[in-house]
Amino acid sequence: MAPSRNVIGPSQPPDPPPPPGRPDAPASASMPLCASEDLVEGGRAVGFDVRYHGQACRAFAVRFGGGVHAYLNRCTHVPMEMDYQEGRFFDDTGQWLLCATHGAAYRPDTGACAGGPCRGGLVKITLSESASQVRWHTSPHLQPAES
């Protein structure tokens, strides 16, 4: 006798509730971050607050290689903020993002671990830039911080 199969039909339970975060925020939305001129190649980052998997976190955006990039401000070695001073993530050469506490180095364009005690890459946040404005994009697990 063949084993019975579970068949998904009309009596299927409803979808689970949306992930934690602002209930009024759509699963994917574009949020204003800063003016394009606020991000200087290899310079200071612009910080912003997000909710990642329902947890309040800081994030940061930088300009590198002519593009804009953003990540959660959380080292993969030990989950703590990386900047040694507000908005300072680049090394002296402007080529690497550094964790000030343990020296982990990350590629500014991808967030990939480039050296030191990192465990994987940084959590990347999608950015877009147009009309002299930089915007960050939400996802089901990444939402605006609650006001």
Side-chain angles (χ1 to χ4, degrees):
M1 178 177 204
S4 65
R5 294 185 345 202
N6 256 341
V7 178
I8 298 175
S11 63
Q12 188 70 9
D15 289 337
R22 287 186 35 192
D24 60 332
S28 181
S30 171
M31 310 298 292
L33 177 59
C34 64
S36 292
E37 67 188 21
D38 293 342
L39 293 175
V40 177
E41 184 78 20
R44 287 190 94 134
V46 170
F48 57 108
D49 295 310
V50 298
R51 291 193 71 73
Y52 182 65
H53 287 281
Q55 182 181 46
C57 297
R58 288 290 287 163
F60 66 96
V62 295
R63 183 176 300 281
F64 180 78
V68 290
H69 310 278
Y71 304 97
L72 287 185
N73 186 356
R74 184 183 293 174
C75 184
T76 62
H77 173 232
V78 175
M80 59 191 305
E81 292 188 3
M82 297 174 22
D83 44 345
Y84 65 94
Q85 291 179 349
E86 182 69 27
R88 298 204 181 261
F89 293 89
F90 280 103
D91 70 346
D92 291 340
T93 69
Q95 298 298 304
W96 305 104
L97 300 175
L98 296 180
C99 174
T101 304
H102 300 106
Y106 301 90
R107 290 184 50 155
D109 55 344
T110 65
C113 177
C118 38
R119 296 179 180 133
L122 299 174
V123 175
K124 190 157 182 78
I125 298 172
T126 302
L127 293 182
S128 60
E129 183 175 29
S130 66
S132 299
Q133 181 72 35
V134 177
R135 303 179 71 82
W136 68 277
H137 300 267
T138 64
S139 71
H141 301 297
L142 183 70
Q143 295 292 315
E146 295 174 356
S147 312

